[in-house]
Amino acid sequence: MTGYVGAHHEFHDAVFVQGWADRFAPTPPRIALFDMILARVDRLGGPDLHVLELGLGPGYMARHVLQRNATVSYEGLDFSDVFFEVAKRTIGPFMPRVVLTKADLLDQNWPRRLSRRPGAILSTWALHDLGSQEAVAAVYARCHEILPIGGILVNGDFIKPAGTTWSYEPGRFEIERHLELLRQAGFAHPASLAEFETNLQSPTAAQNYVCLSATR
Ligand SMILES: C[S@@+](CC[C@H](N)C(=O)[O-])C[C@H]1O[C@@H](n2cnc3c(N)ncnc32)[C@H](O)[C@@H]1O
């Protein structure tokens, strides 16, 4: 069996966004990804750790991290006001520790919009939506410029799994290529920590994602 894996989004349409957020509620494997990312944040520690999330979306990872780590401050970057409204409701009582930053990750000036320098940059299910390997590579390069030495980038995103016979949209590409792009951006120890919801035979657009990490 073969076919095409990709998704079409209306990130600025309130009805679409709420429907997407409802459909993409955290499930056990998605929560396992959040826990893996949280463990990297906790390990980094520090009394004044500022965490930046690229593509805040409905705020599911933000809520997960803020609920379990009582000290980090959090900056959620997104280009969608509609998603910001959903995220505010998801994050609820933790909003006083959150800064919302509106920026387009395809505009290379996005780092200038940040409120302060992050020690950890996180992302889940967002960078593939930039639509190309070049755009993801540019984000990796900007992250390397922003982070201090010892800072971490953890990207949980959809990929094209090894051994597939299916075609994938250009933003979903092989793990090895991600690791190469992280290395080219200057990161040390790029690694794929785990694969989630692997499905080679009949994949949906919500399956086949990995947790990638790298250190500045
Ligand atoms: C799947 S959602 C992220 C889910 C989120 N990480 C969570 O755990 O709830 C992807 C987000 O990326 C944002 N996004 C997509 N393209 C973007 C771009 N070019 N610049 C900024 N944000 C973008 C979308 O608006 C959307 O909110």
Side-chain angles (χ1 to χ4, degrees):
M1 194 172 159
T2 191
Y4 181 79
V5 179
H8 174 72
H9 297 301
E10 301 284 347
F11 289 125
H12 305 280
D13 179 277
V15 174
F16 173 88
V17 163
Q18 189 59 59
W20 186 91
D22 294 343
R23 284 194 304 280
F24 210 74
T27 54
R30 293 173 191 159
I31 292 169
L33 171 63
F34 292 161
D35 280 335
M36 189 168 278
I37 294 175
L38 176 67
R40 309 298 284 189
V41 171
D42 288 344
R43 209 165 80 185
L44 198 59
D48 191 30
L49 180 61
H50 186 59
V51 172
L52 167 65
E53 180 177 354
L54 304 178
L56 178 68
Y60 294 138
M61 177 166 66
R63 178 178 62 191
H64 193 90
V65 170
L66 288 158
Q67 265 174 350
R68 289 162 181 78
N69 182 313
T71 58
V72 295
S73 61
Y74 206 93
E75 183 155 3
L77 181 151
D78 210 290
F79 70 169
S80 164
D81 288 322
V82 184
F83 262 118
F84 280 145
E85 290 310 309
V86 178
K88 282 188 220 169
R89 292 196 291 275
T90 306
I91 298 168
F94 303 103
M95 272 311 290
R97 290 164 57 201
V98 178
V99 177
L100 300 178
T101 297
K102 188 171 180 185
D104 186 342
L105 289 167
L106 292 172
D107 172 356
Q108 298 312 307
N109 290 317
W110 63 262
R112 291 197 200 155
R113 301 207 172 244
L114 300 179
S115 67
R116 52 179 282 214
R117 189 182 199 187
I121 302 179
L122 315 179
S123 189
T124 44
W125 307 298
L127 300 186
H128 70 284
D129 282 323
L130 301 180
S132 69
Q133 294 188 22
E134 291 72 22
V136 174
V139 167
Y140 286 165
R142 300 292 83 71
C143 290
H144 187 267
E145 288 163 6
I146 296 165
L147 284 167
I149 303 286
I152 56 167
L153 170 63
V154 194
N155 178 25
D157 202 6
F158 296 117
I159 48 90
K160 179 177 181 178
T164 185
T165 52
W166 287 56
S167 303
Y168 279 69
E169 62 181 343
R172 301 179 191 228
F173 53 92
E174 296 80 0
I175 295 171
E176 284 310 317
R177 182 67 179 142
H178 275 280
L179 299 180
E180 192 180 331
L181 294 180
L182 286 164
R183 224 171 280 120
Q184 280 172 9
F187 281 100
H189 315 302
S192 173
L193 304 181
E195 298 184 39
F196 298 88
E197 301 198 62
T198 302
N199 184 345
L200 296 183
Q201 296 310 317
S202 51
T204 71
Q207 295 175 319
N208 294 302
Y209 50 98
V210 296
C211 184
L212 302 159
S213 89
T215 307
R216 167 77 164 88

